[in-house]
Amino acid sequence: MLRSWAYGESDKIVSLLTRDFGKVRGIAKGAKRSRKRFLNVLEPFTLVQLRFHERPNSPLAFIHACDWVYVFRAITRTLAKIVHASYLVEITDELTRDGDDCLPLFDHLRDGLRFLEENAPSSEFLTAFELTLLRLAGYQPTLEHCQRCGAKPSPGHGQGNGRWEFSPRDGGVLCRNCNGLRREAVPLSPEALGILAHFQRLGWEDGETPAFSRPALREARQVLPLFIQYQISKKLKSAAFLDGAFQ
Ligand SMILES: [Zn+2]
């Protein structure tokens, strides 16, 4: 379940990420009233079984019924989890195009919500989630070498040798020689760049995360929401709440 909107007196328009049919948008007639057919299943952070049919001349499918498979209840009990789960849902929704093969994205979002259901949110988890999502959705940024000249930020070459920057427009990092003209780029210390490269390479491995310094993590956290916003050409609504949620 990605989003829903009230429609008229008693209906709801819903947007769902499905395992087998990609992103489905549909109208659930009587959803605001019919507890029998829809219970409260058309809420965020639920995994549901859906019965629907597509309509030939409408972008909206007709949703017949919806049954609970799993409700991420623990997420709804703390504000920090709600904020993080909302962010995972929003970026997955925004980076998924209609008609995409969504199975890997569906699994990734379900696993992310499962993690938040059982664990406290963290910068490390969020960064790994974003990078894996970007890869699955076809937007993987270049982090291992300069996007323009190919120089590597390895010890003896780039690290300690001037600052690196992340340029959303270039889709990756730029070395000192290449980053001069990009005003919208975000400066990155070697350690922050190392954090991003680590999670891009390895994804999220529970309990396997090295201890990164908080300032470097904070620096790394600036980059990906900005990059995602650049890709979708709009602001992410839930991103503004993330900073406060770690306190
Ligand atoms: Zn370069």
Side-chain angles (χ1 to χ4, degrees):
M1 176 74 207
L2 295 172
R3 284 190 281 174
S4 71
W5 304 263
Y7 186 72
E9 284 286 292
S10 56
D11 304 339
K12 269 187 174 181
I13 305 246
V14 295
S15 171
L16 303 106
L17 187 66
T18 67
R19 232 186 121 78
D20 303 319
F21 300 95
K23 211 191 245 184
V24 171
R25 278 195 206 90
I27 182 154
K29 285 271 183 198
K32 281 170 72 184
R33 289 185 184 151
S34 172
R35 296 181 61 78
K36 191 166 165 230
R37 274 189 307 149
F38 297 108
L39 291 165
N40 294 321
V41 293
L42 293 173
E43 300 295 334
F45 322 136
T46 52
L47 202 56
V48 297
Q49 177 103 42
L50 191 67
R51 270 172 285 151
F52 72 99
H53 73 256
E54 284 173 337
R55 301 186 295 176
N57 298 313
S58 170
L60 291 176
F62 186 88
I63 314 272
H64 294 280
C66 207
D67 301 305
W68 267 323
V69 175
Y70 191 81
V71 184
F72 296 97
R73 282 189 206 287
I75 288 179
T76 62
R77 290 193 194 114
T78 66
L79 183 60
K81 288 191 179 196
I82 292 173
V83 166
H84 282 78
S86 302
Y87 180 73
L88 304 192
V89 168
E90 185 181 5
I91 58 177
T92 304
D93 187 16
E94 293 292 351
L95 289 172
T96 311
R97 287 159 298 223
D98 292 0
D100 276 0
D101 167 21
C102 288
L103 182 55
L105 294 155
F106 174 92
D107 288 344
H108 184 54
L109 178 58
R110 184 204 51 209
D111 292 349
L113 293 175
R114 253 184 211 156
F115 177 84
L116 284 180
E117 179 78 357
E118 291 161 12
N119 302 275
S122 68
S123 299
E124 291 89 335
F125 162 73
L126 208 54
T127 305
F129 183 94
E130 289 165 327
L131 283 163
T132 303
L133 172 65
L134 285 164
R135 174 172 57 77
L136 294 173
Y139 297 99
Q140 176 162 284
T142 302
L143 299 171
E144 303 283 347
H145 56 82
C146 173
Q147 171 75 354
R148 292 200 168 174
C149 75
K152 289 199 171 168
S154 53
H157 188 109
Q159 281 191 7
N161 181 20
R163 58 182 199 156
W164 284 66
E165 291 188 347
F166 183 90
S167 162
R169 184 190 294 207
D170 290 281
V173 291
L174 301 176
C175 74
R176 183 183 60 165
N177 296 328
C178 298
N179 66 20
L181 296 172
R182 288 268 175 247
R183 283 211 184 131
E184 76 278 21
V186 186
L188 277 177
S189 65
E191 195 184 357
L193 180 50
I195 291 172
L196 294 173
H198 169 88
F199 286 120
Q200 184 173 74
R201 223 170 26 245
L202 300 174
W204 180 253
E205 294 179 278
D206 215 359
E208 299 292 320
T209 307
F212 295 118
S213 85
R214 301 319 291 175
L217 263 172
R218 261 200 299 280
E219 213 185 307
R221 286 286 333 132
Q222 307 295 309
V223 168
L224 296 172
L226 211 64
F227 182 53
I228 293 168
Q229 289 177 153
Y230 181 82
Q231 295 300 341
I232 63 175
S233 305
K234 64 173 165 179
K235 288 260 176 212
L236 290 162
K237 284 182 239 149
S238 53
F241 299 103
L242 285 175
D243 296 340
F246 282 116
Q247 307 311 317

